[in-house]
Amino acid sequence: MKFHIRFAEQVVGFFVLLALLAVAGLLILMGINQRWFSKDYHFTSRFESGNNLSNGMPIKLKGFKIGAVDAVTLLEDNTVMIDFHIFDTYYSKVSQNSVLELAVNPLGIGSSGLLFYPGKSQGPPLPENSMIPSLDMEEGKRLVAQSLVSIPKGSDAVSDILVSIGPTIDSLNTLLVSIDDLVHGKNTAPLGSLIRETDTIAANVREMSDGAVAPVGSILDNVETLTESLKDTTGIATRLLNPQGSVAKLLNDNEELYKMMSNILHSLASSAEEIRTLLAFANEKQPQISTLLDQTIDAINQGEDVLTGLKNNPLLRGGIPKTTAQPTTFGGLRDREF
Amino acid sequence: MFQELGHRVIASIRELFYACGFFLRTIKESVPFFRRRQIGYRVLVMQLLFTGVEALGVISLIALILGGVIIVYGVDLLPQFGQGELIYSILITVIMRELGPLLCAFIIIARSGTAIATELGQMVVSHQIEAYTSVGVDPISYLVVPRFLGVIFSMILLNIYFNLFGLIASFFVTSFIQPIPMRDYMYDLITHIRSADIVSSMIKSLIFGAIIALSATYNGFRVEQSSTEVPQVVIKAVVQSFVLIIVADALITLIYYL
């Protein structure tokens, strides 16, 4: 018989027991974590509106959850009453003159919550089921006005932006007024003076340009006349070919100009012939020069090889050492000094 | 045609009443079961062994893999949208409230629902039921009730194990891939579990177990003469269980959110 069938009752008992223990452990942990066995202190508060108020909404003190809303009720006078509880660990914070404030993100994102501000009173905590005013109601505002409760400055990014919008608009308004003064020349600051001077300079330039218009006009008339005369090119060709013209007179000089130019060309031809002869000679001698250069290169290479061989010769490297006189070990008695 | 249709409708209504009667009779016989300490107790233990203990391996494996996959995906994806905390709500919803009871039920249908229907069908064919009746043993109290209770208890226990493996053991598995501080994980997980989640999960297990056991035993007894009827009633029991479980799951979830 298989083990688990033979000991079926034990196996099933263990199977059931383990599951029950797991459930019991989970329930105990949940109870501790979710404060099933802790005492909560119940209070009430009033608000003008029930917007953004809901059951289970957390009540926070400096970012810590210290309680939650239990119920939201609309009263006969159209105000809204909330019942909420504070955890026993934070009950001592519920001092006299404490207030509540509904915190809602203006962008409509994230969770809203009720912010709890403890009063400055040093007395014992408020008794259970007491009424804690909200900042919606007159009593809460009065407590703040009398500085009986301290409300720290909001530190969220959106609040900071909203707070800084007012000064930014003021600055923008001042800037626009300054620009308006500048434009109308009322500003006495350096920038105002600069703008006024610029205005004067512009007026002077305008006067100068008005005076320069007449000469420029006459120059333009001359250019126009010249352009008109250049339009007809047949007149120029006729003047150039005229036998009485300057070109004809220059060419009609009994060939003196031609002869001069011919002599110059002859001289240039002789010089070119000499250069050619020189180049032919150099060209003729080129193999000999080339052979000479090759031989020189060979001689240098051989000399370099000899020097390399000398350098690498182990006997000669470092020079020839000084020889030390080695006395002979054998000598006659007559050589001895006494 | 109208005669045929009317006949079918009347037959269906009769069958429905018969099934209701079977269900009520089973419930009625289940109440004094533990008080009597009869021989059916041994049948209950064996049913728990076959349906519960023997299915633990496959259940734990599925739960481990499912939980691990959800944790890995959640830890990777959700913080990108600033919703890292949602991983616990998703785990609890998927493992504890929805897939846990459903997957356990499907596995029990496949393993035990078919086995119960086949066994009872074969007993009918071999005239064992008639034999029990002839010696004064009530087949409902001796054959159906232990299986009914056994499947329900097994379903509840397996669901507990599924949650344990899916929520806690899968954390240890995924720690090798995505290290998460264990203390933070456990604290946040327990913070997010509500008593309503546990109650919903247990109610689903209870109802699904009852559906599987009743469907299997009821269809098992529907065999009349031939052993060829047995596979047919087994298929019918499986399909009926699936459909009824899905409908019940939808109704319970709907009631939870109402």
Side-chain angles (χ1 to χ4, degrees):
Chain A
M1 191 184 280
K2 283 184 182 176
F3 173 82
H4 70 285
I5 293 175
R6 190 175 170 191
F7 298 100
E9 290 193 353
Q10 286 87 336
V11 172
V12 169
F14 183 72
F15 176 69
V16 174
L17 193 68
L18 203 64
L20 291 178
L21 281 175
V23 172
L26 179 70
L27 288 174
I28 290 168
L29 284 174
M30 278 177 68
I32 293 167
N33 190 267
Q34 297 177 14
R35 305 175 44 78
W36 288 356
F37 312 110
S38 301
K39 177 170 170 54
D40 292 332
Y41 291 85
H42 293 266
F43 297 93
T44 57
S45 183
R46 283 198 182 191
F47 285 83
E48 281 288 351
S49 165
N51 281 340
N52 299 308
L53 289 170
S54 59
N55 292 353
M57 178 182 263
I59 294 170
K60 291 183 176 178
L61 169 62
K62 291 186 181 287
F64 287 85
K65 185 181 175 184
I66 62 165
V69 175
D70 297 322
V72 183
T73 320
L74 182 65
L75 298 179
E76 284 297 320
D77 60 350
N78 290 331
T79 58
V80 175
M81 187 175 84
I82 63 160
D83 297 303
F84 64 96
H85 63 267
I86 299 287
F87 304 152
D88 55 351
T89 44
Y90 296 103
Y91 176 56
S92 59
K93 306 283 182 189
V94 189
S95 53
Q96 197 81 32
N97 303 324
S98 299
V99 293
L100 281 175
E101 183 188 18
L102 177 63
V104 182
N105 192 317
L107 297 180
I109 53 173
S111 58
S112 53
L114 282 171
L115 303 181
F116 181 85
Y117 301 118
K120 289 180 179 174
S121 170
Q122 297 294 323
L126 283 173
E128 204 175 354
N129 298 317
S130 299
M131 165 83 176
I132 295 177
S134 72
L135 290 183
D136 274 17
M137 309 304 284
E138 285 304 318
E139 193 183 345
K141 288 174 186 167
R142 184 178 55 77
L143 290 173
V144 175
Q146 291 176 355
S147 296
L148 293 171
V149 56
S150 66
I151 297 179
K153 189 187 162 198
S155 59
D156 61 298
V158 177
S159 300
D160 289 346
I161 291 167
L162 289 174
V163 166
S164 64
I165 282 175
T168 308
I169 289 173
D170 289 343
S171 303
L172 190 65
N173 192 31
T174 311
L175 181 68
L176 289 171
V177 168
S178 301
I179 291 170
D180 189 52
D181 288 347
L182 275 173
V183 169
H184 289 95
K186 294 176 188 170
N187 196 305
T188 54
L191 188 61
S193 308
L194 188 67
I195 287 176
R196 280 195 293 278
E197 282 170 16
T198 308
D199 203 20
T200 313
I201 289 165
N204 292 339
V205 167
R206 198 182 307 119
E207 281 176 17
M208 285 168 68
S209 63
D210 287 346
V213 165
V216 170
S218 62
I219 290 166
L220 287 173
D221 290 342
N222 290 340
V223 170
E224 194 178 350
T225 312
L226 182 63
T227 309
E228 280 297 323
S229 59
L230 284 173
K231 275 182 183 172
D232 184 14
T233 53
T234 51
I236 294 168
T238 311
R239 282 198 294 275
L240 284 173
L241 297 172
N242 189 359
Q244 301 302 319
S246 303
V247 177
K249 279 182 183 174
L250 184 66
L251 295 173
N252 192 15
D253 58 348
N254 294 323
E255 297 182 343
E256 279 187 16
L257 182 62
Y258 168 74
K259 285 173 185 170
M260 196 183 292
M261 287 172 71
S262 180
N263 288 336
I264 289 166
L265 289 171
H266 278 297
S267 302
L268 284 172
S270 304
S271 300
E273 183 61 28
E274 284 170 5
I275 288 166
R276 193 186 63 77
T277 311
L278 180 64
L279 288 173
F281 174 76
N283 200 23
E284 211 171 79
K285 296 296 178 191
Q286 192 179 0
Q288 293 166 3
I289 293 165
S290 180
T291 309
L292 186 65
L293 285 172
D294 288 343
Q295 287 172 353
T296 309
I297 288 164
D298 287 343
I300 289 168
N301 287 337
Q302 284 171 6
E304 193 179 353
D305 290 343
V306 170
L307 287 171
T308 307
L310 286 171
K311 189 180 131 197
N312 292 338
N313 191 324
L315 296 173
L316 296 174
R317 190 163 50 192
I320 298 166
K322 257 184 194 174
T323 52
T324 311
Q326 177 67 37
T328 177
T329 53
F330 176 77
L333 288 172
R334 69 176 67 178
D335 295 323
R336 288 189 181 174
E337 290 179 0
F338 296 98
Chain B
M1 191 183 77
F2 289 110
Q3 189 183 0
E4 178 68 20
L5 186 68
H7 179 72
R8 282 192 177 188
V9 170
I10 289 166
S12 300
I13 290 169
R14 272 185 187 161
E15 198 174 321
L16 185 67
F17 275 110
Y18 183 78
C20 289
F22 183 82
F23 171 64
L24 290 174
R25 179 84 193 282
T26 307
I27 298 288
K28 190 182 164 190
E29 292 294 327
S30 298
V31 175
F33 179 80
F34 295 101
R35 202 170 14 142
R36 287 204 293 250
R37 300 284 294 176
Q38 57 194 353
I39 195 162
Y41 180 75
R42 177 72 186 168
V43 182
L44 171 66
V45 170
M46 295 314 286
Q47 193 63 54
L48 278 168
L49 184 73
F50 294 136
T51 307
V53 178
E54 289 188 354
L56 187 61
V58 67
I59 290 282
S60 54
L61 183 70
I62 292 172
L64 265 177
I65 292 169
L66 194 66
V69 168
I70 293 170
I71 293 173
V72 168
Y73 271 114
V75 169
D76 185 43
L77 283 177
L78 292 172
Q80 294 178 22
F81 310 106
Q83 299 292 337
E85 287 281 306
L86 265 181
I87 181 71
Y88 304 104
S89 302
I90 292 170
L91 262 177
I92 291 162
T93 306
V94 173
I95 300 280
M96 188 175 266
R97 282 198 355 224
E98 292 303 326
L99 282 187
L102 267 182
L103 287 176
C104 287
F106 289 163
I107 287 163
I108 289 177
I109 290 169
R111 289 187 80 257
S112 303
T114 52
I116 290 169
T118 309
E119 187 188 10
L120 293 182
Q122 292 291 356
M123 286 173 89
V124 173
V125 172
S126 59
H127 304 287
Q128 288 182 52
I129 307 297
E130 289 169 10
Y132 281 131
T133 313
S134 66
V135 295
V137 175
D138 182 12
I140 298 284
S141 62
Y142 180 65
L143 295 174
V144 176
V145 170
R147 285 167 177 78
F148 177 72
L149 294 174
V151 170
I152 289 175
F153 289 148
S154 297
M155 179 70 208
I156 292 171
L157 294 169
L158 282 177
N159 190 29
I160 291 168
Y161 281 106
F162 190 95
N163 292 332
L164 276 178
F165 281 98
L167 296 176
I168 297 167
S170 59
F171 163 77
F172 294 105
V173 176
T174 47
S175 293
F176 294 109
I177 307 164
Q178 293 260 7
I180 315 165
M182 184 185 167
R183 187 185 159 85
D184 293 352
Y185 176 83
M186 294 299 171
Y187 179 81
D188 289 334
L189 185 70
I190 290 168
T191 305
H192 283 80
I193 295 175
R194 300 279 158 216
S195 43
D197 297 322
I198 298 174
V199 170
S200 167
S201 184
M202 290 298 126
I203 287 173
K204 280 186 179 180
S205 302
L206 182 83
I207 292 173
F208 293 173
I211 288 170
I212 295 165
L214 285 172
S215 176
T217 50
Y218 175 75
N219 282 292
F221 280 134
R222 286 179 71 191
V223 175
E224 288 175 357
Q225 290 176 343
S226 168
S227 59
T228 53
E229 293 173 51
V230 175
Q232 293 173 17
V233 295
V234 169
I235 291 166
K236 199 160 188 178
V238 169
V239 174
Q240 216 169 57
S241 299
F242 273 126
V243 172
L244 288 173
I245 280 170
I246 297 288
V247 171
D249 183 55
L251 285 174
I252 295 166
T253 307
L254 201 68
I255 291 166
Y256 180 85
Y257 282 107
L258 278 178

PDB file of all heavy atoms in Angstrom, chain A residues 83-103:
ATOM      1  N   ASP A  83     -17.730  62.322  10.189  1.00  0.00           N
ATOM      2  CA  ASP A  83     -17.279  61.553  11.359  1.00  0.00           C
ATOM      3  C   ASP A  83     -15.947  60.935  10.993  1.00  0.00           C
ATOM      4  O   ASP A  83     -15.821  60.344   9.912  1.00  0.00           O
ATOM      5  CB  ASP A  83     -18.281  60.450  11.690  1.00  0.00           C
ATOM      6  CG  ASP A  83     -19.621  61.020  12.082  1.00  0.00           C
ATOM      7  OD1 ASP A  83     -19.659  61.814  13.028  1.00  0.00           O
ATOM      8  OD2 ASP A  83     -20.624  60.691  11.395  1.00  0.00           O
ATOM      9  N   PHE A  84     -15.000  61.105  11.858  1.00  0.00           N
ATOM     10  CA  PHE A  84     -13.693  60.507  11.557  1.00  0.00           C
ATOM     11  C   PHE A  84     -13.069  59.965  12.836  1.00  0.00           C
ATOM     12  O   PHE A  84     -13.530  60.263  13.937  1.00  0.00           O
ATOM     13  CB  PHE A  84     -12.769  61.526  10.871  1.00  0.00           C
ATOM     14  CG  PHE A  84     -12.397  62.710  11.720  1.00  0.00           C
ATOM     15  CD1 PHE A  84     -11.203  62.734  12.431  1.00  0.00           C
ATOM     16  CD2 PHE A  84     -13.223  63.818  11.807  1.00  0.00           C
ATOM     17  CE1 PHE A  84     -10.843  63.822  13.196  1.00  0.00           C
ATOM     18  CE2 PHE A  84     -12.883  64.908  12.580  1.00  0.00           C
ATOM     19  CZ  PHE A  84     -11.686  64.915  13.277  1.00  0.00           C
ATOM     20  N   HIS A  85     -12.044  59.142  12.623  1.00  0.00           N
ATOM     21  CA  HIS A  85     -11.345  58.596  13.790  1.00  0.00           C
ATOM     22  C   HIS A  85      -9.854  58.902  13.702  1.00  0.00           C
ATOM     23  O   HIS A  85      -9.300  59.039  12.610  1.00  0.00           O
ATOM     24  CB  HIS A  85     -11.574  57.084  13.913  1.00  0.00           C
ATOM     25  CG  HIS A  85     -11.035  56.288  12.786  1.00  0.00           C
ATOM     26  ND1 HIS A  85     -11.784  55.935  11.677  1.00  0.00           N
ATOM     27  CD2 HIS A  85      -9.791  55.785  12.558  1.00  0.00           C
ATOM     28  CE1 HIS A  85     -11.038  55.242  10.839  1.00  0.00           C
ATOM     29  NE2 HIS A  85      -9.819  55.134  11.342  1.00  0.00           N
ATOM     30  N   ILE A  86      -9.255  59.025  14.887  1.00  0.00           N
ATOM     31  CA  ILE A  86      -7.803  59.242  14.988  1.00  0.00           C
ATOM     32  C   ILE A  86      -7.211  58.012  15.667  1.00  0.00           C
ATOM     33  O   ILE A  86      -7.769  57.517  16.664  1.00  0.00           O
ATOM     34  CB  ILE A  86      -7.508  60.517  15.823  1.00  0.00           C
ATOM     35  CG1 ILE A  86      -8.122  61.761  15.168  1.00  0.00           C
ATOM     36  CG2 ILE A  86      -6.009  60.702  16.059  1.00  0.00           C
ATOM     37  CD1 ILE A  86      -7.438  62.245  13.923  1.00  0.00           C
ATOM     38  N   PHE A  87      -6.087  57.525  15.142  1.00  0.00           N
ATOM     39  CA  PHE A  87      -5.442  56.342  15.739  1.00  0.00           C
ATOM     40  C   PHE A  87      -4.979  56.662  17.168  1.00  0.00           C
ATOM     41  O   PHE A  87      -4.581  57.795  17.452  1.00  0.00           O
ATOM     42  CB  PHE A  87      -4.237  55.911  14.910  1.00  0.00           C
ATOM     43  CG  PHE A  87      -4.553  55.632  13.459  1.00  0.00           C
ATOM     44  CD1 PHE A  87      -3.590  55.798  12.473  1.00  0.00           C
ATOM     45  CD2 PHE A  87      -5.814  55.185  13.071  1.00  0.00           C
ATOM     46  CE1 PHE A  87      -3.877  55.536  11.141  1.00  0.00           C
ATOM     47  CE2 PHE A  87      -6.106  54.915  11.738  1.00  0.00           C
ATOM     48  CZ  PHE A  87      -5.137  55.105  10.773  1.00  0.00           C
ATOM     49  N   ASP A  88      -5.002  55.625  17.996  1.00  0.00           N
ATOM     50  CA  ASP A  88      -4.642  55.853  19.408  1.00  0.00           C
ATOM     51  C   ASP A  88      -3.219  56.380  19.568  1.00  0.00           C
ATOM     52  O   ASP A  88      -2.932  57.141  20.490  1.00  0.00           O
ATOM     53  CB  ASP A  88      -4.829  54.557  20.211  1.00  0.00           C
ATOM     54  CG  ASP A  88      -4.071  53.385  19.637  1.00  0.00           C
ATOM     55  OD1 ASP A  88      -3.532  53.524  18.530  1.00  0.00           O
ATOM     56  OD2 ASP A  88      -4.020  52.319  20.286  1.00  0.00           O
ATOM     57  N   THR A  89      -2.328  56.006  18.641  1.00  0.00           N
ATOM     58  CA  THR A  89      -0.934  56.460  18.762  1.00  0.00           C
ATOM     59  C   THR A  89      -0.794  57.963  18.525  1.00  0.00           C
ATOM     60  O   THR A  89       0.207  58.558  18.913  1.00  0.00           O
ATOM     61  CB  THR A  89      -0.047  55.719  17.742  1.00  0.00           C
ATOM     62  OG1 THR A  89      -0.720  55.679  16.495  1.00  0.00           O
ATOM     63  CG2 THR A  89       0.252  54.303  18.192  1.00  0.00           C
ATOM     64  N   TYR A  90      -1.798  58.561  17.858  1.00  0.00           N
ATOM     65  CA  TYR A  90      -1.720  60.004  17.571  1.00  0.00           C
ATOM     66  C   TYR A  90      -2.770  60.790  18.359  1.00  0.00           C
ATOM     67  O   TYR A  90      -2.962  61.973  18.093  1.00  0.00           O
ATOM     68  CB  TYR A  90      -1.918  60.248  16.062  1.00  0.00           C
ATOM     69  CG  TYR A  90      -0.834  59.638  15.220  1.00  0.00           C
ATOM     70  CD1 TYR A  90      -1.046  58.456  14.518  1.00  0.00           C
ATOM     71  CD2 TYR A  90       0.418  60.229  15.132  1.00  0.00           C
ATOM     72  CE1 TYR A  90      -0.049  57.886  13.756  1.00  0.00           C
ATOM     73  CE2 TYR A  90       1.431  59.658  14.369  1.00  0.00           C
ATOM     74  CZ  TYR A  90       1.191  58.483  13.678  1.00  0.00           C
ATOM     75  OH  TYR A  90       2.186  57.923  12.930  1.00  0.00           O
ATOM     76  N   TYR A  91      -3.411  60.139  19.301  1.00  0.00           N
ATOM     77  CA  TYR A  91      -4.490  60.828  20.033  1.00  0.00           C
ATOM     78  C   TYR A  91      -3.955  62.044  20.783  1.00  0.00           C
ATOM     79  O   TYR A  91      -4.643  63.067  20.899  1.00  0.00           O
ATOM     80  CB  TYR A  91      -5.150  59.832  20.998  1.00  0.00           C
ATOM     81  CG  TYR A  91      -6.209  60.443  21.867  1.00  0.00           C
ATOM     82  CD1 TYR A  91      -7.286  61.124  21.308  1.00  0.00           C
ATOM     83  CD2 TYR A  91      -6.143  60.355  23.255  1.00  0.00           C
ATOM     84  CE1 TYR A  91      -8.259  61.704  22.098  1.00  0.00           C
ATOM     85  CE2 TYR A  91      -7.108  60.924  24.062  1.00  0.00           C
ATOM     86  CZ  TYR A  91      -8.164  61.604  23.478  1.00  0.00           C
ATOM     87  OH  TYR A  91      -9.119  62.177  24.271  1.00  0.00           O
ATOM     88  N   SER A  92      -2.732  61.953  21.271  1.00  0.00           N
ATOM     89  CA  SER A  92      -2.169  63.070  22.047  1.00  0.00           C
ATOM     90  C   SER A  92      -1.996  64.331  21.196  1.00  0.00           C
ATOM     91  O   SER A  92      -1.854  65.432  21.717  1.00  0.00           O
ATOM     92  CB  SER A  92      -0.820  62.657  22.633  1.00  0.00           C
ATOM     93  OG  SER A  92       0.050  62.299  21.587  1.00  0.00           O
ATOM     94  N   LYS A  93      -2.011  64.191  19.867  1.00  0.00           N
ATOM     95  CA  LYS A  93      -1.855  65.360  18.977  1.00  0.00           C
ATOM     96  C   LYS A  93      -3.144  66.159  18.862  1.00  0.00           C
ATOM     97  O   LYS A  93      -3.129  67.301  18.390  1.00  0.00           O
ATOM     98  CB  LYS A  93      -1.459  64.900  17.560  1.00  0.00           C
ATOM     99  CG  LYS A  93      -0.246  64.001  17.496  1.00  0.00           C
ATOM    100  CD  LYS A  93       1.016  64.781  17.644  1.00  0.00           C
ATOM    101  CE  LYS A  93       2.226  63.862  17.516  1.00  0.00           C
ATOM    102  NZ  LYS A  93       3.470  64.559  17.869  1.00  0.00           N
ATOM    103  N   VAL A  94      -4.262  65.541  19.264  1.00  0.00           N
ATOM    104  CA  VAL A  94      -5.560  66.213  19.096  1.00  0.00           C
ATOM    105  C   VAL A  94      -5.757  67.166  20.269  1.00  0.00           C
ATOM    106  O   VAL A  94      -6.492  66.895  21.222  1.00  0.00           O
ATOM    107  CB  VAL A  94      -6.707  65.185  19.008  1.00  0.00           C
ATOM    108  CG1 VAL A  94      -8.006  65.864  18.610  1.00  0.00           C
ATOM    109  CG2 VAL A  94      -6.387  64.107  18.000  1.00  0.00           C
ATOM    110  N   SER A  95      -5.065  68.294  20.230  1.00  0.00           N
ATOM    111  CA  SER A  95      -5.132  69.252  21.328  1.00  0.00           C
ATOM    112  C   SER A  95      -6.248  70.263  21.076  1.00  0.00           C
ATOM    113  O   SER A  95      -6.856  70.283  19.989  1.00  0.00           O
ATOM    114  CB  SER A  95      -3.784  69.961  21.452  1.00  0.00           C
ATOM    115  OG  SER A  95      -3.437  70.501  20.207  1.00  0.00           O
ATOM    116  N   GLN A  96      -6.480  71.080  22.067  1.00  0.00           N
ATOM    117  CA  GLN A  96      -7.495  72.147  21.972  1.00  0.00           C
ATOM    118  C   GLN A  96      -7.131  73.079  20.810  1.00  0.00           C
ATOM    119  O   GLN A  96      -5.955  73.306  20.552  1.00  0.00           O
ATOM    120  CB  GLN A  96      -7.468  72.935  23.289  1.00  0.00           C
ATOM    121  CG  GLN A  96      -8.680  73.794  23.539  1.00  0.00           C
ATOM    122  CD  GLN A  96      -9.833  72.973  24.103  1.00  0.00           C
ATOM    123  OE1 GLN A  96      -9.604  72.009  24.819  1.00  0.00           O
ATOM    124  NE2 GLN A  96     -11.056  73.363  23.790  1.00  0.00           N
ATOM    125  N   ASN A  97      -8.128  73.593  20.116  1.00  0.00           N
ATOM    126  CA  ASN A  97      -7.961  74.549  18.999  1.00  0.00           C
ATOM    127  C   ASN A  97      -7.377  73.919  17.731  1.00  0.00           C
ATOM    128  O   ASN A  97      -6.901  74.637  16.857  1.00  0.00           O
ATOM    129  CB  ASN A  97      -7.085  75.750  19.397  1.00  0.00           C
ATOM    130  CG  ASN A  97      -7.650  76.482  20.591  1.00  0.00           C
ATOM    131  OD1 ASN A  97      -8.869  76.597  20.735  1.00  0.00           O
ATOM    132  ND2 ASN A  97      -6.790  76.951  21.469  1.00  0.00           N
ATOM    133  N   SER A  98      -7.419  72.613  17.647  1.00  0.00           N
ATOM    134  CA  SER A  98      -6.951  71.977  16.408  1.00  0.00           C
ATOM    135  C   SER A  98      -7.972  72.234  15.298  1.00  0.00           C
ATOM    136  O   SER A  98      -9.161  72.417  15.561  1.00  0.00           O
ATOM    137  CB  SER A  98      -6.802  70.461  16.600  1.00  0.00           C
ATOM    138  OG  SER A  98      -5.866  70.194  17.602  1.00  0.00           O
ATOM    139  N   VAL A  99      -7.509  72.232  14.046  1.00  0.00           N
ATOM    140  CA  VAL A  99      -8.414  72.447  12.908  1.00  0.00           C
ATOM    141  C   VAL A  99      -8.119  71.432  11.803  1.00  0.00           C
ATOM    142  O   VAL A  99      -7.051  70.830  11.774  1.00  0.00           O
ATOM    143  CB  VAL A  99      -8.307  73.879  12.324  1.00  0.00           C
ATOM    144  CG1 VAL A  99      -8.808  74.926  13.282  1.00  0.00           C
ATOM    145  CG2 VAL A  99      -6.891  74.174  11.885  1.00  0.00           C
ATOM    146  N   LEU A 100      -9.076  71.321  10.905  1.00  0.00           N
ATOM    147  CA  LEU A 100      -8.921  70.445   9.737  1.00  0.00           C
ATOM    148  C   LEU A 100      -8.997  71.288   8.478  1.00  0.00           C
ATOM    149  O   LEU A 100      -9.710  72.296   8.427  1.00  0.00           O
ATOM    150  CB  LEU A 100     -10.044  69.414   9.694  1.00  0.00           C
ATOM    151  CG  LEU A 100      -9.964  68.194  10.604  1.00  0.00           C
ATOM    152  CD1 LEU A 100     -11.253  67.396  10.476  1.00  0.00           C
ATOM    153  CD2 LEU A 100      -8.779  67.320  10.261  1.00  0.00           C
ATOM    154  N   GLU A 101      -8.274  70.865   7.452  1.00  0.00           N
ATOM    155  CA  GLU A 101      -8.346  71.554   6.152  1.00  0.00           C
ATOM    156  C   GLU A 101      -8.413  70.504   5.054  1.00  0.00           C
ATOM    157  O   GLU A 101      -7.655  69.525   5.079  1.00  0.00           O
ATOM    158  CB  GLU A 101      -7.105  72.432   5.941  1.00  0.00           C
ATOM    159  CG  GLU A 101      -7.170  73.223   4.645  1.00  0.00           C
ATOM    160  CD  GLU A 101      -5.864  73.947   4.325  1.00  0.00           C
ATOM    161  OE1 GLU A 101      -4.818  73.585   4.901  1.00  0.00           O
ATOM    162  OE2 GLU A 101      -5.908  74.859   3.492  1.00  0.00           O
ATOM    163  N   LEU A 102      -9.290  70.736   4.107  1.00  0.00           N
ATOM    164  CA  LEU A 102      -9.390  69.808   2.963  1.00  0.00           C
ATOM    165  C   LEU A 102      -8.322  70.187   1.941  1.00  0.00           C
ATOM    166  O   LEU A 102      -8.279  71.320   1.464  1.00  0.00           O
ATOM    167  CB  LEU A 102     -10.783  69.902   2.332  1.00  0.00           C
ATOM    168  CG  LEU A 102     -10.996  69.040   1.078  1.00  0.00           C
ATOM    169  CD1 LEU A 102     -10.860  67.567   1.397  1.00  0.00           C
ATOM    170  CD2 LEU A 102     -12.362  69.317   0.469  1.00  0.00           C
ATOM    171  N   ALA A 103      -7.446  69.247   1.635  1.00  0.00           N
ATOM    172  CA  ALA A 103      -6.365  69.493   0.660  1.00  0.00           C
ATOM    173  C   ALA A 103      -6.711  68.774  -0.627  1.00  0.00           C
ATOM    174  O   ALA A 103      -6.864  67.554  -0.638  1.00  0.00           O
ATOM    175  CB  ALA A 103      -5.046  68.979   1.205  1.00  0.00           C
TER     176      ALA A 103
END
